[in-house]
Amino acid sequence: MTADIVSGVTQPPPRPRKRSATRSVTLSDVAAASGVSAQTVSRVVRDPLSVSDETRARVQAALTATGYVPNLAASNLASNRSRTVAALVPQINASVFADTVHAFSTALAAHGYQIFVGTTDYRPEHEEEVLRSFLGRRPDGLLMVGTRHTPGTLTLLGAAGVPVVETWGWSEDPVDLLVGFSNAAAAAAMVGHLVERGRRRITFAGRHTSGDPRAAERLDGYTRAVRDLLGSEPRTVDAGPEPVTMDTGVALLDLALERHPDSDAVMFSSDVFAAGALQACVRRGIDVPGTLALAGFGDFELARHLVPALTTVAVPSARIGELSAELLLMRMRGAPVDVPHRDVGYRVVAREST
Amino acid sequence: MTADIVSGVTQPPPRPRKRSATRSVTLSDVAAASGVSAQTVSRVVRDPLSVSDETRARVQAALTATGYVPNLAASNLASNRSRTVAALVPQINASVFADTVHAFSTALAAHGYQIFVGTTDYRPEHEEEVLRSFLGRRPDGLLMVGTRHTPGTLTLLGAAGVPVVETWGWSEDPVDLLVGFSNAAAAAAMVGHLVERGRRRITFAGRHTSGDPRAAERLDGYTRAVRDLLGSEPRTVDAGPEPVTMDTGVALLDLALERHPDSDAVMFSSDVFAAGALQACVRRGIDVPGTLALAGFGDFELARHLVPALTTVAVPSARIGELSAELLLMRMRGAPVDVPHRDVGYRVVAREST
DNA sequence: GACCCTGTTGTTAGCGCTATCGGCAGCGCT
DNA sequence: AGCGCTGCCGATAGCGCTAACAACAGGGTC
């Protein structure tokens, strides 16, 4: 509009640009209200002790008076740190992973990190997509359930250069950190237990062909153990892409009884399946463990309450979350991690159902 | 731009500032690689059709060649939209809420939103803290479980000016959107069912004094119904701050039998409690429903599998998530929401345990 | 030819915050 | 007085992206 004459040169008229300005309180608002610079307010927010008592008090008063809420996006951008950690799990509503995530989240929240949870719905190709969208947030760390990944996932992880913990499995060649146990060994141990209880015709029932690598690993362990201990061929039934529900467990039981009618034990890849099957047996009057022994995996709370109580493999879900948080914190701080791969083990819990 | 002599005034020489530059690929990297401006690359990423076929192809090639992953923090800051929605739930590992969150998340992910989940651990004061940290991300929308909030929470919500859906309850005076049902009415309906089945000495067992407003509302509904239908005083037992587990359910059963030994029915504030109690009865040889009727709340999958199958109140958890997403999407788009408060109802599911 | 479209691309100026450096006072020591 | 140090605070320049506008070509209309 008005072209002013400044130092003899015509300045281009500064056009006012409109932005849909955020309606919220900014650092400079607080700065103005307390008579200091924005930088000082930022210091009060992030490291109060680096500011004199007097100034701090004044700024803090202004902080509460204005109701300032920091804009983390701006903070991330400026500091190149997001104070965010992403967790990639197959399902939130699967309680085992929920326990891990809960412990992980609690431990990290204590250090000022927020946790993003993403679900892959047991679809490996989905993992890549979710990961990509998460990396857009530039997380400072990453937790993943599983140790098997697509090449695309590995490329993304490599390019991102973010600390990663893989969990719930075991690998000879982890991406970075690893907190887990051998699903195969755990399943083999369960076979050992069943054999010890005199079972000889053990069937494995799970969802091992449709995107659950952990179930597949358990199947491997089962297969090897059956061959080693009993010298017999594996007998398996598969749930395909069916969801991990008690209904599916009942269906698996039916399948097992149909395909392998001489089974004297069925071990499931999850307590959820086993619980469904167990209740179905009770309802039908199939004697457990007299006629048929049943075993699960995971040691959900449910397992010990059922009648008969369910034999299962206990896995320290919450411990996995805690330990993952611990290792990740060290790595994010740049501290050396002495033992980056931790085996948390498993435990066969013998109960009434076998 | 450069420091030259402008209008006879010597400009101070610009010192080069060092920043710990992000190692990752930026828009301008891609722009340079494909010979267009950064803005055009941005357009290709966000709205491919606004760019000519030829340019788009070239840019997309560069995009995959460089492995570009957008920095969402920068995007948020510039556009003042985060494409993020936050969900505040009491617990992730409580499967009912997990179903809601899952449905919510799935519905919104389809529209490009990412979901932050935060847990309050059934502590209202914690809600405020979590909310504050979430608002730092400037979410475009918010889902909250519950309709009762602290004044501090309400202030935060008001100042933030973000669309909000309250869920899992009912309120005469919602903050904004509301997708839920009356917990009180649902509990009353359960009392009605029990009375219909001939029960007269009904005990309510729950966790209603320690930060679970929904359990408290159910208690209210129970109390009113008992007075109205039976003209008797309420009999209740409380779990205090104990977690919502089957163990606690057993403890509640013990408490009920001790305090109100003449009870002919116990209704629990959650299926988890009821399931624990039910299995304890089976184990102890207490005839259900002969001696004692048991009822839960939530209609978890477990309920219909138990023997005897558990009578409960079915609540459309997933539907709540879906509908919330729907309403929130409309509001976030700025579209008018015709019916901003939706009652999704409940349903008493009579099974063998009563 | 003047005019107004439409479609496509580039330019500019931030969004709100923090890293980095500079400045200045106050102190202790030589 | 001179020096260095520490504690505190402010000024400046971005972080990587997008909104808003500018620019321009090509086409049609009158």
Side-chain angles (χ1 to χ4, degrees), chain B residues 6-17:
Chain B
V6 176
S7 48
V9 177
T10 310
Q11 300 288 318
R15 269 167 285 88
R17 297 246 173 169

Side-chain angles (χ1 to χ4, degrees), chain A residues 266-281:
Chain A
V266 182
M267 55 183 278
F268 293 85
S269 67
S270 163
D271 272 7
V272 174
F273 291 151
L278 183 57
Q279 292 304 95
C281 286

Side-chain angles (χ1 to χ4, degrees), chain B residues 90-104:
Chain B
Q91 265 190 14
I92 333 177
N93 19 3
S95 57
V96 266
F97 302 131
D99 288 342
T100 298
V101 170
H102 191 254
F104 183 69

Side-chain angles (χ1 to χ4, degrees), chain B residues 17-19 36-37 39-40 43 51-52 55 77-78:
Chain B
R17 297 246 173 169
K18 272 157 298 176
R19 278 261 173 154
V36 298
S37 74
Q39 181 60 237
T40 299
R43 278 191 268 256
V51 165
S52 72
T55 309
L77 189 57

Side-chain angles (χ1 to χ4, degrees), chain A residues 301 304-305, chain B residues 242-250 252 270 272-274 276:
Chain A
E301 199 204 1
R304 68 172 182 279
H305 283 273
Chain B
E242 293 300 311
V244 181
T245 61
M246 293 175 74
D247 283 338
T248 307
V250 177
L252 278 170
S270 162
V272 174
F273 291 150

Side-chain angles (χ1 to χ4, degrees), chain A residues 4-295:
Chain A
D4 310 305
I5 309 298
V6 176
S7 49
V9 176
T10 309
Q11 300 288 319
R15 266 168 288 86
R17 295 246 174 170
K18 271 156 297 174
R19 277 262 172 156
S20 57
T22 315
R23 257 289 107 306
S24 59
V25 183
T26 71
L27 268 192
S28 7
D29 294 335
V30 180
S34 49
V36 297
S37 73
Q39 181 57 233
T40 299
V41 179
S42 169
R43 275 191 271 255
V44 171
V45 172
R46 288 179 301 148
D47 182 14
L49 294 183
S50 70
V51 165
S52 72
D53 293 357
E54 188 196 2
T55 309
R56 184 179 344 114
R58 204 143 37 90
V59 172
Q60 264 161 354
L63 240 21
T64 57
T66 53
Y68 174 72
V69 176
N71 184 326
L72 266 23
S75 170
N76 297 356
L77 190 57
S79 68
N80 197 26
R81 303 187 50 222
S82 65
R83 293 218 148 259
T84 281
V85 171
L88 270 178
V89 302
Q91 265 191 13
I92 334 178
N93 19 2
S95 57
V96 266
F97 302 131
D99 288 342
T100 298
V101 171
H102 191 253
F104 183 70
S105 153
T106 305
L108 283 170
H111 292 265
Y113 287 90
Q114 283 179 20
I115 285 76
F116 261 109
V117 182
T119 55
T120 61
D121 277 322
Y122 289 107
R123 300 211 312 269
E125 74 283 8
H126 203 198
E127 178 181 85
E128 200 170 320
E129 188 186 320
V130 176
L131 178 61
R132 175 177 291 277
S133 94
F134 272 24
L135 288 179
R137 304 259 162 214
R138 300 292 187 270
D140 297 333
L142 214 51
L143 175 140
M144 310 190 71
V145 168
T147 52
R148 299 185 187 179
H149 312 288
T150 63
T153 297
L154 294 173
T155 305
L156 278 172
L157 289 178
V162 179
V164 179
V165 210
E166 294 169 276
T167 62
W168 277 92
W170 197 254
S171 163
E172 289 311 310
D173 181 31
V175 174
D176 183 8
L177 304 166
L178 174 61
V179 177
F181 60 92
S182 164
N183 283 283
M190 178 57 84
V191 173
H193 162 77
L194 290 168
V195 170
E196 208 169 87
R197 294 270 164 120
R199 307 294 161 161
R200 294 293 176 268
R201 296 178 305 279
I202 305 167
T203 298
F204 181 91
R207 186 186 185 273
H208 39 79
T209 56
S210 300
D212 188 348
R214 283 157 300 288
E217 288 165 23
R218 286 168 207 160
L219 173 62
D220 286 349
Y222 155 84
T223 303
R224 241 173 306 135
V226 162
R227 291 201 174 120
D228 287 358
L229 297 176
L230 298 174
S232 63
E233 280 310 288
R235 358 167 123 227
T236 69
V237 289
D238 175 33
E242 293 300 312
V244 181
T245 61
M246 293 175 75
D247 283 340
T248 307
V250 177
L252 279 170
L253 175 71
D254 290 338
L255 216 55
L257 293 178
E258 181 196 320
R259 296 265 183 82
H260 308 288
D262 60 338
S263 299
D264 57 9
V266 182
M267 55 183 278
F268 293 85
S269 67
S270 163
D271 272 7
V272 174
F273 291 151
L278 183 57
Q279 292 304 95
C281 286
V282 171
R283 189 166 289 280
R284 297 174 194 178
I286 300 174
D287 181 18
V288 175
T291 311
L292 191 67
L294 295 183

